[in-house]
């Protein structure tokens, strides 16, 4: 379908990427990837856009691609296939953001409250929950968590190599009244949650976002060994 595999980039080792030739529109492919947050417990199939450059005087290239992360045992990571300038949008469009409200209340039996944070029930998107205020949400209910699909769900985190800034989503209810319109629940009003380059990034480089320290400190096992931003600061003192 116009995309072939190759190993031409030298910024990473042992990578397999997708490059596109003779493509005049976005190509889509399914990539089976390990969970975004440095875990290889469960694999999920996600739909990614094999995005190509639009410039008429440039050869067709994928803007972003999945490959083995440069972080050992981290599964797949997200890489840029083209040079990116500071402040430049990564990908073509922002991501949609999906709010989950009062989840524990909805899952709890009449006999009392249970909590996903205590492991009382399984929530398959635990590793993909965002802090609601960081996405521009939080007032929708007493307890709000957010899931971001697309690019936002793919990059890994390395606190000493962060090169991507993530931004809040845009609110647009598409003219639907969230209280009275029957179709309001069929869409998320939060969209265009963009990610931009924190600095100039060379083609073939892995992209890293900031998970925040709580993502690691709230988990047990080898996650406790991951150095945080404060770890590097302490090392320099």
């Amino acid at each position: 379908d116009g995309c072939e595999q190759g190993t031409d980039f030298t910024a990473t080792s042992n990578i397999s990427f997708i490059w596109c030739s003779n493509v005049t529109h976005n190509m889509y492919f399914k990539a089976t990837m390990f969970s975004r947050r440095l875990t290889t417990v469960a694999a999920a199939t996600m739909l990614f856009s094999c995005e190509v450059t639009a410039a008429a005087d440039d050869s067709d290239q994928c803007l972003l691609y999945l490959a083995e992360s440069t972080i050992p045992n981290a599964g797949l990571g997200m890489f840029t296939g083209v040079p990116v300038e500071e402040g430049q949008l990564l990908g073509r469009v922002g991501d949609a953001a999906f709010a989950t409200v009062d989840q524990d209340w909805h899952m709890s039996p009449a006999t009392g409250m249970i909590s996903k944070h205590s492991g009382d029930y399984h929530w398959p998107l635990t590793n993909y929950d965002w802090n609601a205020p960081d996405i521009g949400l939080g007032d929708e209910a007493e307890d709000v968590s957010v899931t971001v699909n697309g690019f936002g769900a793919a990059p890994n985190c390395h606190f000493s190599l962060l090169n991507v800034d993530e931004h809040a989503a845009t609110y647009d209810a598409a003219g639907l009244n969230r209280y009275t319109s029957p179709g309001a629940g069929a869409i998320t009003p939060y969209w265009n949650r963009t990610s931009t380059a924190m600095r100039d990034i060379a083609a073939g480089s892995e992209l890293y976002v900031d998970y925040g320290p709580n993502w690691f400190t709230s988990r047990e096992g080898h996650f406790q060994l991951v150095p945080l931003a404060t770890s590097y600061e302490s090392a320099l003192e």
Side-chain angles (χ1 to χ4, degrees), residues 33-235:
M33 63 173 292
F34 289 111
S35 177
R36 171 195 187 228
R37 315 274 185 164
L38 301 182
T39 179
T40 56
V41 175
T45 301
M46 302 185 68
L47 186 66
F48 283 92
S49 172
C50 182
E51 303 189 81
V52 298
T53 53
D57 59 347
D58 197 4
S59 60
D60 291 332
Q61 293 177 286
C62 285
L63 301 184
L64 303 170
Y65 63 92
L66 289 170
E68 181 182 354
S69 175
T70 57
I71 302 175
N73 303 313
L76 296 180
M78 178 63 79
F79 295 76
T80 176
V82 296
V84 181
E85 296 181 354
E86 179 180 353
Q88 183 177 332
L89 177 68
L90 294 164
R92 288 194 174 279
V93 296
D95 296 327
F98 301 88
T100 303
V101 299
D102 295 331
Q103 184 176 341
D104 289 345
W105 183 84
H106 287 290
M107 295 297 294
S108 297
T111 54
M113 288 289 292
I114 60 177
S115 171
K116 67 177 179 180
H117 297 294
S118 300
D120 296 330
Y121 62 91
H122 175 62
W123 174 237
L125 297 178
T126 294
N127 290 329
Y128 296 86
D129 274 347
W130 269 256
N131 185 33
D134 292 342
I135 310 298
L137 287 77
D139 298 329
E140 288 72 13
E142 181 176 343
D143 178 43
V144 183
S145 61
V146 186
T147 298
V148 179
N149 65 356
F151 173 85
N156 287 317
C157 174
H158 194 305
F159 287 106
S160 70
L161 300 174
L162 300 178
N163 55 9
V164 176
D165 283 322
E166 298 182 292
H167 308 284
T170 300
Y171 182 88
D172 185 351
L176 299 177
N177 186 298
R178 301 299 295 179
Y179 295 95
T180 61
S181 296
I187 64 169
T188 174
Y190 298 97
W191 65 286
N192 198 33
R193 195 262 185 167
T194 58
S195 299
T196 57
M198 186 182 298
R199 57 177 181 271
D200 292 348
I201 306 174
S205 298
E206 183 165 2
L207 303 173
Y208 301 102
V209 299
D210 187 351
Y211 290 3
N214 183 66
W215 197 94
F216 297 97
T217 58
S218 63
R219 288 165 170 77
E220 299 179 352
H222 60 274
F223 291 104
Q224 298 296 317
L225 302 176
V226 174
L228 307 177
T230 53
S231 303
Y232 296 98
E233 295 172 1
S234 299

